[in-house]
Amino acid sequence: YLSKSFEIKIEDLRFIKFNSADLKDINSNVVSQVEGIKKNEEMCCYGAKCESCCKDNECYEDVNSFPVILLHGHAFMKSSYVEESLEAFDDIQQKIISEGYIDGGMILPINKNYQKGELGKVRIPTVFKTTYYFNVFDDKGNFVKAPSKSESFKVYSERFGNVVDDVLSRTNRKKVNIVAHSMGGLVARNYIKDYDVDSKVNKLIMVATPNHGFHPQHSFFDCENFGAYKECMDMKVGSEFLNNLNSGSEIYGNVKYHTIAGSGCVLEGVDGDGVVRPSSVELYGAANVKINAKNGCEPPFNKGFHSNLLNPSLYPKTYDYIKE
């Protein structure tokens, strides 16, 4: 009975005009959601959930429907493929979707294949994944094995800014919420401060981000072995990039900052998540929390505690705090 009067590319999202006199013909699960609606009121449905559509700019400043952007960290080792970083948020994204968010999939810095305002009528928030790397996918949508991982944070932040603008345009919302892992938090912080765009970001939640620099917890983890060399050097304690980022207030503008640090992996007498120390993650003026390791450093290191903090099955407290 429910014909799709308007459909966009996001699967199962539809806008339907219900006539209240015809409710008897509609599936009972939908009836319970739309009883009492006005005649011919437009309803927005995603899956089995239906709500009245946003009219004009009614939902523009609705904080409960601001979209979420998940931003990965850098490839852990020189030999790591970039998809290992991009896949880090897969479990969290799927859990968010299972709780009712719209699946926005992957959005790229150069992706313009969307319709402005196509998600603007929907009160249900959307969750997107993105990347600041270039040439991550080929024209068939397959991963490129060796995209550039040697650009500056300025370039990464500019690319991320393009993503934020596209998400705001697609959803017709005033602000986004960002959840970032490791180096991704530095990209997001630099974007907010460098481009003076706190008006576009509601909250920034950083998991295991080396905000005060990368203190190797183990002698093996130096910039000769650890990820891309330029990225690593910019994240080292005392780098020009970090000095500029942390100058003045460590939190910028009207954004609400949250950090999540891992504790309990001790290497050569230094506590942390195996890669980053809690003291480096925490920001003055932010809401800072620690999550304790279940099994120490959880080797192998490239899939250890630092990465496992994003696994809702292993560390549900991380997800619970992000959700909160």
Side-chain angles (χ1 to χ4, degrees), residues 134-250:
F134 230 30
N135 300 324
V136 175
F137 299 97
D138 62 21
D139 56 3
K140 296 181 180 179
N142 300 314
F143 277 114
V144 175
K145 294 300 183 183
S148 171
K149 296 187 292 182
S150 59
E151 302 285 359
S152 67
F153 274 88
K154 180 177 177 61
V155 171
Y156 291 155
S157 299
E158 182 178 359
R159 291 175 185 167
F160 180 61
N162 291 335
V163 170
V164 172
D165 288 343
D166 287 349
V167 168
L168 292 176
S169 177
R170 288 183 70 176
T171 61
N172 191 32
R173 294 299 189 272
K174 183 178 182 180
K175 295 185 178 185
V176 300
N177 292 313
I178 303 167
V179 184
H181 180 237
S182 195
M183 192 184 88
L186 298 178
V187 173
R189 281 186 66 202
N190 189 62
Y191 158 70
I192 295 167
K193 184 174 183 179
D194 221 25
Y195 292 90
D196 192 24
V197 287
D198 63 306
S199 60
K200 297 181 180 181
V201 180
N202 180 45
K203 295 178 182 178
L204 171 58
I205 304 168
M206 292 168 282
V207 183
T209 294
N211 286 304
H212 295 288
F214 172 53
H215 300 76
Q217 278 191 256
H218 191 283
S219 56
F220 172 76
F221 294 126
D222 59 33
C223 288
E224 295 300 326
N225 298 308
F226 186 81
Y229 183 80
K230 181 173 178 53
E231 294 176 0
C232 184
M233 291 299 293
D234 281 343
M235 287 190 286
K236 289 196 74 170
V237 176
S239 72
E240 181 180 359
F241 165 73
L242 286 176
N243 286 340
N244 290 333
L245 183 62
N246 293 322
S247 62
S249 175
E250 293 184 354

Side-chain angles (χ1 to χ4, degrees), residues 74-145:
H74 80 323
F76 192 91
M77 303 296 291
K78 277 188 174 181
S79 60
S80 298
Y81 292 139
V82 71
E83 60 261 42
E84 293 179 8
S85 296
L86 269 65
E87 291 168 354
F89 271 110
D90 282 359
D91 290 339
I92 284 181
Q93 184 182 34
Q94 290 307 311
K95 192 165 179 61
I96 291 174
I97 293 166
S98 72
E99 297 194 8
Y101 277 53
I102 295 172
D103 181 7
M106 172 68 75
I107 183 168
L108 300 177
I110 57 173
N111 177 23
K112 301 298 179 184
N113 188 25
Y114 68 88
Q115 184 177 4
K116 183 177 180 181
E118 63 186 5
L119 295 170
K121 289 186 176 183
V122 190
R123 298 181 188 275
I124 307 166
T126 307
V127 56
F128 300 89
K129 283 200 312 180
T130 191
T131 180
Y132 38 79
Y133 290 136
F134 230 30
N135 300 324
V136 175
F137 299 97
D138 62 21
D139 56 3
K140 296 181 180 179
N142 300 314
F143 277 114
V144 175
K145 294 300 183 183

Side-chain angles (χ1 to χ4, degrees), residues 6-77:
F6 180 81
E7 184 179 272
I8 63 172
K9 293 179 181 179
I10 301 239
E11 186 179 4
D12 289 336
L13 180 64
R14 52 196 180 277
F15 305 103
I16 306 162
K17 282 193 175 181
F18 289 102
N19 186 317
S20 56
D22 294 328
L23 284 178
K24 62 181 183 298
D25 297 322
I26 303 176
N27 181 284
S28 60
N29 290 331
V30 178
V31 171
S32 64
Q33 298 181 57
V34 297
E35 284 181 340
I37 62 174
K38 297 178 182 178
K39 186 174 182 179
N40 290 328
E41 181 175 358
E42 190 175 34
M43 301 294 290
C44 292
C45 301
Y46 179 67
K49 184 175 182 180
C50 292
E51 295 179 344
S52 60
C53 295
C54 301
K55 296 179 178 65
D56 300 321
N57 287 325
E58 176 189 358
C59 297
Y60 180 70
E61 297 186 10
D62 178 15
V63 295
N64 294 316
S65 65
F66 283 164
V68 175
I69 302 177
L70 305 175
L71 186 62
H72 65 85
H74 80 323
F76 192 91
M77 303 296 291

Side-chain angles (χ1 to χ4, degrees), residues 246-291:
N246 293 322
S247 62
S249 175
E250 293 184 354
I251 59 175
Y252 185 78
N254 294 317
V255 179
K256 299 171 185 176
Y257 287 80
H258 300 257
T259 74
I260 301 173
S263 177
C265 168
V266 179
L267 294 171
E268 297 184 355
V270 180
D271 178 49
D273 63 19
V275 179
V276 181
R277 303 178 185 184
S279 59
S280 179
V281 177
E282 296 169 354
L283 288 175
Y284 183 77
N288 303 300
V289 300
K290 289 182 185 178
I291 294 178

